[in-house]
Amino acid sequence: MMVPKLQLRPLAVGNGRSQSIAGVRVSPRISVAPNCISSKHGINMSNTIEISITIHDFATTETAKEIICELYENETECEDKWTKVGTSSPVRFSRNIVFPDKFSYQYVFEKTQLIKAVFSRCSERDRPSSSSSDILATSIFKVDELIGSFGLQLRRQLQRTGSIANALSGTQRITEEYLGGIIVSAEMPEKEQPIVVQFHGKSLDRKDFLWDETAVFFRVFRLEEGKDDDSLIFLYESEAIKNHSHPQWAEFRLDTQDAADNRNRLLEIWVMYKDVDGKEGYIGKFLTTYAKMKYGPGSDNVYSVINDVKKAQKKSYENSGKMELVKFTDVSFYSFLDYIVSGTQLHFEIGVDFSSPEPVHELDQRRFDGELHMAIRAIGSIIRDYTPNRLFAAFGIGAKIPPTFHESNEFFLNFSMDPICRGLDGVMEAYRKTQTMVTPLKESKLSPVINYVTRMSHRSGFRGLHYHVLALFTRGEVTDLKEIQQALNSASDAPLSILIIGMGDYDFSPLQKLCSKRKDGRRDVVQFIHLKSLLNGAEAPWLNKSRIAETALRQVPQHMVQYMHNANIAAKPPIQVCRSPLFHSSSLIPDKPTEFDFELTKDIRHVGIEIPSLMPNLILPPDLSPRPRQDRRGSDSQYLDVETMRGSLTVRVPERCHSVLQTSREQYQRRLKERGLARMKFPRVELSTLESSGGSTQDSSL
């Protein structure tokens, strides 16, 4: 392509130097630092969500012409620490209200973030009234519950006044203050998808043939074609290398929106040189496109560097060297939030070391029990919102256990056939009972429990759908440091993060040194926390809990993302689940939502099933027929058709689920009976009848 002759218009680009070639106008790229927008948190776009609020069945006796929604955030348990996030535009008052405005909010995994939605009358000047009597309703919820809920949708009840204590307890009881409900939805902004490119040069022209000390580099521009003239927009500048014969530049990234807003968008690359005085010279240029580079390394992506001036002066001129594409990667870089909203569940495992190098006095034991309870609650209260069934595996270490009282460094804390405890209360109850039954040892070994949880994480299901966090609490002398190192090396290939938490005043320097070691080629998987350094008796308990959770969980998102990237696991589109009163996500978490087809809502009474709801006047839509989604795992051929006796209700149950993998039909039958859906049959479905769905029964991405 010939560049039209234009008046030279040099403009500062990149590092501020003036760049120009005769006949071309160069413009700087105007952009913000990648993945960042301004806020009090310095928001990372990969962890930003957009919250939408909808009121359903507003049952207030108050009247208003227009109302607004104000959103407040709080990271403490104090009622007077609310900070405003934003205010919606006024909306006409009605029974069902959809607020069109979206609130941008920064999500932080390791913090307990509370959101309060306040709905109040709007004054004549389109502003919220300052009087508390004009507040119509409020609702408080945790951001963790919104992120951890499949489909990024949360239902909460409206009350005249709300409290943080009720929000943290997680209970939703309809009281006299019940005023209706709200539906809280979240969306993720469009993420950047960079492309990774790398070039090598060959036999590039030199400034001098004998005493050449120049360094060669290149600049990448996007070519914008105009009606009257063409312009170049600067995108990237490489490092300078003192090697003209075969320079090998490092790989670099280009944002897809900049380089490939159009697959045939021309990219113009200038090859330049720089001498010891900092003066720059022009070697040549070549053109390419995103579509052409997508073919990858090969003969199609070897380019001749052309200097138009030399080409016009010399008839025998061929080129000023070659440039070769050696790497092109067009992939998405997923964040922790991307994996969570696409269905990845977090599992919390706990190991308690009963050993002590010295006899423990009663006062010290009470202090240990209190700190252990606080630490488990602090960490578990965050992770449990990402565990639908809220079941936690708990292990004991370093004790003589009944009935033979032999030494053991790996036993189930509940002394049952499996280590699963129901809820954090179940873990603490198992610990209190075990404490009265075992005899502490003077030393312990942590590697057996690490190896057990590593094996358990490998068997937890399809890769990418489950990630485990193991917290080990110890106050004794650990003697198997070498075995722990080997166990950590094995755990680096598993979907697992390990937190080793030192309790008391013991010298934990060997463990700290072990956890700080970094082995080449292995993923970071462990973190050591000395609990005593985080506790302050003069502060409120919630401050200590918050500090423990932030310190212990800060690196877990990075650990999980490293595992996913190393295993080449891509985040799927966000799961969308149709929540139903017939099934609960704690026992069935489908790849695709359970689908219901109601012939007539009035016929439901013939089935003999009462459908409870937080919205008493909720009218079910007449048509909830399945709408296939091509971007989700699974297909219509993975569903089992379930019909009631009278045929008035048809339920389509996913045959494969996240938490109940490879479940037999008999197990489905038993689970449905437990939920009151007795006398239901499972007709076998032939795949030939489902060919129109375009799906397959196997998930090739996994």
Side-chain angles (χ1 to χ4, degrees):
M1 174 181 176
M2 296 298 295
V3 180
K5 295 181 179 180
L6 301 173
Q7 184 180 0
L8 179 63
R9 300 182 186 179
L11 294 175
V13 295
N15 53 13
R17 293 186 295 270
S18 174
Q19 310 298 336
S20 65
I21 293 181
V24 181
R25 183 174 74 249
V26 181
S27 302
R29 182 183 63 164
I30 301 175
S31 64
V32 188
N35 290 336
C36 294
I37 62 175
S38 58
S39 79
K40 71 172 187 177
H41 294 289
I43 293 180
N44 185 337
M45 286 295 292
S46 61
N47 292 327
T48 303
I49 58 175
E50 295 178 347
I51 300 176
S52 303
I53 304 291
T54 301
I55 297 180
H56 183 84
D57 192 23
F58 204 1
T60 180
T61 58
E62 303 286 341
T63 58
K65 183 178 180 180
E66 291 181 327
I67 69 170
I68 63 168
C69 173
E70 297 176 281
L71 230 61
Y72 297 85
E73 67 170 344
N74 194 344
E75 297 177 356
T76 71
E77 296 183 13
C78 297
E79 295 286 356
D80 57 348
K81 298 292 185 180
W82 292 102
T83 304
K84 181 178 286 189
V85 176
T87 305
S88 71
S89 56
V91 179
R92 185 178 180 83
F93 180 83
S94 64
R95 191 174 183 84
N96 299 303
I97 304 172
V98 178
F99 292 92
D101 299 308
K102 296 181 179 180
F103 302 90
S104 181
Y105 188 75
Q106 169 70 357
Y107 159 74
V108 182
F109 167 69
E110 62 268 18
K111 292 184 178 181
T112 299
Q113 297 173 297
L114 296 171
I115 294 290
K116 179 169 70 173
V118 179
F119 305 95
S120 56
R121 291 188 183 91
C122 190
S123 65
E124 297 179 357
R125 298 180 181 179
D126 292 343
R127 293 183 179 180
S129 176
S130 59
S131 174
S132 59
S133 61
D134 288 326
I135 296 178
L136 304 178
T138 62
S139 182
I140 301 177
F141 60 91
K142 293 173 62 178
V143 178
D144 291 336
E145 294 175 323
L146 177 61
I147 299 298
S149 63
F150 292 90
L152 290 176
Q153 190 175 96
L154 193 65
R155 293 174 182 264
R156 282 291 179 267
Q157 69 182 47
L158 285 173
Q159 294 181 341
R160 183 71 179 184
T161 58
S163 66
I164 293 179
N166 291 337
L168 293 177
S169 65
T171 58
Q172 280 199 89
R173 296 180 180 178
I174 299 178
T175 63
E176 295 180 357
E177 287 190 334
Y178 176 75
L179 301 175
I182 66 169
I183 301 175
V184 185
S185 304
E187 296 178 358
M188 296 179 61
E190 185 177 354
K191 64 188 279 81
E192 295 184 359
Q193 298 181 351
I195 57 178
V196 179
V197 185
Q198 186 177 15
F199 283 107
H200 287 181
K202 184 178 180 181
S203 303
L204 299 174
D205 283 355
R206 299 172 178 269
K207 179 180 179 182
D208 298 313
F209 288 100
L210 296 178
W211 307 103
D212 189 4
E213 296 183 0
T214 59
V216 63
F217 64 99
F218 64 87
R219 293 193 178 101
V220 181
F221 300 90
R222 186 178 71 195
L223 182 61
E224 296 283 354
E225 300 181 10
K227 293 183 179 179
D228 301 325
D229 57 4
D230 294 347
S231 62
L232 296 176
I233 297 180
F234 174 78
L235 299 180
Y236 173 77
E237 178 179 327
S238 73
E239 72 277 15
I241 298 178
K242 291 185 178 181
N243 183 357
H244 284 250
S245 62
H246 193 73
Q248 300 180 7
W249 291 282
E251 63 183 38
F252 62 96
R253 296 181 183 181
L254 293 176
D255 184 37
T256 306
Q257 296 299 322
D258 290 334
D261 57 337
N262 181 344
R263 288 179 59 87
N264 296 316
R265 168 73 64 191
L266 284 172
L267 300 177
E268 187 167 305
I269 300 176
W270 296 358
V271 183
M272 316 280 290
Y273 66 82
K274 183 187 305 182
D275 59 21
V276 292
D277 297 330
K279 296 181 180 179
E280 298 175 356
Y282 176 69
I283 296 177
K285 67 178 181 180
F286 65 93
L287 298 175
T288 187
T289 63
Y290 168 84
K292 187 174 182 180
M293 289 192 295
K294 198 170 178 64
Y295 285 106
S299 58
D300 291 335
N301 279 301
V302 177
Y303 304 94
S304 296
V305 179
I306 303 299
N307 188 314
D308 294 330
V309 177
K310 292 184 178 180
K311 184 177 180 180
Q313 294 176 351
K314 299 179 181 179
K315 294 183 179 181
S316 60
Y317 175 81
E318 294 183 359
N319 57 63
S320 296
K322 298 280 187 178
M323 290 284 284
E324 178 182 0
L325 179 71
V326 296
K327 183 176 183 179
F328 181 84
T329 305
D330 185 6
V331 297
S332 297
F333 292 87
Y334 299 104
S335 67
F336 173 79
L337 186 57
D338 292 324
Y339 289 106
I340 291 297
V341 301
S342 69
T344 300
Q345 301 177 27
L346 299 184
H347 304 276
F348 186 37
E349 287 82 28
I350 301 158
V352 180
D353 183 5
F354 289 88
S355 68
S356 177
E358 299 177 356
V360 181
H361 298 286
E362 183 179 356
L363 183 60
D364 294 334
Q365 185 62 45
R366 289 182 180 179
R367 184 183 299 110
F368 175 84
D369 294 345
E371 293 177 356
L372 177 67
H373 183 273
M374 178 183 295
I376 291 178
R377 290 283 182 184
I379 301 173
S381 62
I382 300 290
I383 301 180
R384 70 181 178 184
D385 292 321
Y386 305 88
T387 306
N389 52 23
R390 298 198 174 186
L391 300 178
F392 308 105
F395 305 88
I397 304 169
K400 295 180 180 181
I401 61 175
T404 60
F405 286 92
H406 64 280
E407 296 183 0
S408 176
N409 286 290
E410 178 191 343
F411 59 92
F412 299 158
L413 200 62
N414 53 10
F415 283 102
S416 65
M417 297 301 294
D418 63 76
I420 300 301
C421 300
R422 185 171 295 277
L424 297 176
D425 291 334
V427 174
M428 297 310 303
E429 181 65 22
Y431 168 75
R432 283 191 288 267
K433 290 182 178 180
T434 302
Q435 189 181 21
T436 62
M437 300 168 58
V438 301
T439 303
L441 299 176
K442 290 187 177 181
E443 55 187 31
S444 63
K445 298 180 180 180
L446 304 182
S447 58
V449 171
I450 296 176
N451 289 326
Y452 185 94
V453 176
T454 299
R455 294 191 299 270
M456 187 172 66
S457 66
H458 281 299
R459 298 193 302 264
S460 58
F462 288 105
R463 293 198 320 167
L465 300 184
H466 304 271
Y467 193 83
H468 297 253
V469 179
L470 170 62
L472 297 173
F473 298 88
T474 179
R475 63 178 172 184
E477 184 176 355
V478 178
T479 59
D480 61 336
L481 296 180
K482 184 176 180 180
E483 289 78 7
I484 291 176
Q485 182 64 64
Q486 295 175 352
L488 295 178
N489 293 340
S490 300
S492 64
D493 297 327
L496 175 65
S497 291
I498 300 173
L499 309 174
I500 300 179
I501 302 173
M503 311 279 288
D505 300 324
Y506 187 77
D507 181 16
F508 295 104
S509 55
L511 274 177
Q512 288 178 316
K513 184 178 179 180
L514 177 66
C515 295
S516 62
K517 286 184 179 179
R518 295 292 181 265
K519 198 159 186 178
D520 294 340
R522 294 195 178 273
R523 178 177 67 94
D524 292 340
V525 72
V526 66
Q527 180 184 2
F528 180 84
I529 302 101
H530 195 177
L531 191 64
K532 183 179 179 180
S533 63
L534 302 177
L535 300 179
N536 188 344
E539 295 181 342
W542 65 264
L543 284 173
N544 290 321
K545 289 176 60 177
S546 177
R547 192 157 45 243
I548 293 171
E550 290 182 35
T551 305
L553 299 176
R554 183 176 293 121
Q555 295 184 13
V556 170
Q558 180 182 353
H559 290 171
M560 193 183 88
V561 171
Q562 286 178 352
Y563 167 76
M564 297 293 189
H565 289 178
N566 292 346
N568 295 322
I569 298 174
K572 301 295 182 180
I575 286 181
Q576 296 183 2
V577 170
C578 174
R579 297 189 181 277
S580 162
L582 303 180
F583 296 91
H584 192 268
S585 62
S586 63
S587 56
L588 284 179
I589 307 166
D591 285 323
K592 291 181 63 178
T594 303
E595 299 176 357
F596 298 85
D597 184 12
F598 295 89
E599 292 181 1
L600 288 174
T601 56
K602 65 181 180 180
D603 292 336
I604 297 180
R605 67 189 67 177
H606 299 302
V607 188
I609 302 175
E610 295 183 0
I611 300 184
S613 175
L614 290 177
M615 316 300 182
N617 299 323
L618 175 63
I619 299 177
L620 296 174
D623 181 18
L624 288 177
S625 57
R627 295 173 174 81
R629 287 172 53 90
Q630 301 297 330
D631 56 345
R632 291 296 309 146
R633 294 186 291 269
S635 62
D636 286 349
S637 60
Q638 293 176 278
Y639 280 101
L640 301 177
D641 290 341
V642 183
E643 297 180 357
T644 57
M645 291 181 56
R646 304 188 181 184
S648 59
L649 175 62
T650 300
V651 185
R652 309 193 68 208
V653 184
E655 188 173 11
R656 179 170 63 79
C657 302
H658 289 175
S659 60
V660 281
L661 303 174
Q662 301 177 351
T663 307
S664 64
R665 292 171 180 267
E666 290 74 15
Q667 289 173 309
Y668 274 126
Q669 183 74 49
R670 186 177 68 253
R671 291 189 178 187
L672 292 174
K673 288 182 179 179
E674 291 174 355
R675 287 160 178 76
L677 299 178
R679 303 182 65 181
M680 305 182 77
K681 59 181 180 179
F682 290 81
R684 293 192 175 275
V685 181
E686 299 295 336
L687 295 181
S688 58
T689 63
L690 299 172
E691 291 180 352
S692 60
S693 66
S696 62
T697 58
Q698 298 296 329
D699 192 346
S700 60
S701 66
L702 300 174

